[in-house]
């Protein structure tokens, strides 16, 4: 879901790249590889557990150009390690409670003329599997988080491309573009593991993890039934994902 942003960014050898909302660091490692031995990549994430997992996965002694820091981009002045030449972000910016503050931090963390490429979800209708999973899970686990409304943070908070442009412009970026990009998420033909993977990555994840084992089993089975329409037996799952590729630069 980040390939288009990676292509647009085209990290150059020697560059310093920031990965915002890096999760467990897979894309940060790709960025570090592109930046080569003279470059560096820093992954930043709010979640201490994600950063700890990324550090375990990519230890410093074997990945000298790679760093992971825990920080909330909505509250820090700049990400430690700034200034960067470019910022990458895969499916994270729409989760910020104050995205203008988050984007302003990103802009302050870039050098003049630095570039940003990010991906975020388009509307829910372009990502139907996410609703299938929530509908399946809901009757079997405790209360799900309230559905985000309007501009509230959540998977679809950046569905309106006009809002994405306004947020980035208010954060101090220029030449903002927001382009649709469709991908098919492929997964093996393994009903329960795929159902669990999709439950875990979506808004029902926390309620699912807190549920009793028998409730989790029922939730997985129900989600798997609703995901059948995306499954080709013996081949696997093909889940359509509708994404915005968002690009921008800082004023030179
Ligand atoms: C859907 S995950 C995507 C993770 C990773 N980019 C990937 O594609 O695998 C979104 C990530 O953004 C992080 N995040 C959300 N708000 C953040 C903030 N204000 N500051 C830093 N990270 C944030 C979350 O902790 C989470 O790890």
């Amino acid at each position: 879901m980040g390939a288009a942003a990676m292509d647009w960014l085209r990290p150059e050898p020697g560059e310093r790249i920031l990965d915002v909302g890096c999760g467990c660091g897979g894309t940060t490692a790709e960025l570090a590889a592109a930046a080569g031995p003279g470059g560096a990549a820093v992954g930043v994430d709010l979640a201490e557990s994600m950063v700890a997992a990324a550090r375990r996965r990519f230890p410093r002694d074997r990945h000298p150009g790679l760093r992971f820091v825990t920080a909330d981009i909505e509250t820090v002045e700049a990400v430690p390690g700034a200034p960067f030449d470019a910022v990458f972000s895969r499916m994270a910016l729409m989760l910020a409670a104050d995205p203008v503050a988050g984007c302003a931090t990103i802009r302050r963390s870039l050098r003049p003329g630095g570039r940003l490429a990010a991906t975020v979800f388009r509307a829910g209708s372009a990502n139907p599997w996410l609703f299938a999973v929530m509908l399946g899970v809901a009757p079997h686990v405790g209360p799900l988080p309230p559905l985000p409304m309007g501009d509230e943070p959540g998977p679809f908070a950046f569905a309106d491309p006009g809002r994405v442009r306004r947020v980035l412009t208010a954060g101090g970026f220029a030449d903002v573009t927001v382009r649709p990009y469709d991908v098919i998420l492929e997964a093996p033909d393994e009903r329960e593991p795929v159902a669990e993977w999709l439950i875990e990555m979506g808004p029902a994840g926390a309620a699912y993890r807190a549920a009793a084992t028998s409730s989790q089993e029922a939730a997985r089975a129900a989600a798997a039934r609703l995901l059948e329409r995306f499954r080709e037996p013996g081949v696997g799952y093909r889940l359509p994902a509708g994404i915005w590729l968002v690009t921008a630069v800082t004023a030179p």
Side-chain angles (χ1 to χ4, degrees), residues 101-144:
C103 288
T105 297
I106 294 174
R107 198 248 310 142
R108 287 191 297 270
S109 304
L110 276 164
R111 67 166 169 77
R115 56 207 197 280
L116 164 72
T119 53
V120 293
F121 281 120
R122 298 207 309 270
S125 53
N127 297 279
W129 48 274
L130 214 143
F131 291 108
V133 168
M134 286 186 71
L135 281 171
V137 170
H140 303 289
V141 301
L144 298 183

Side-chain angles (χ1 to χ4, degrees), residues 206-234:
Y208 172 80
R209 282 190 290 278
T213 306
S214 58
S215 305
Q216 290 182 341
E217 281 167 11
R220 274 199 308 276
R225 275 195 297 279
L226 287 166
L227 288 166
E228 273 301 296
R229 64 178 303 165
F230 304 109
R231 172 175 172 245
E232 192 180 331

Side-chain angles (χ1 to χ4, degrees), residues 188-199 220:
D189 189 19
E190 295 168 10
R191 294 179 82 245
E192 297 241 340
V194 168
E196 183 162 62
W197 171 57
L198 296 173
I199 296 168
R220 274 199 308 276

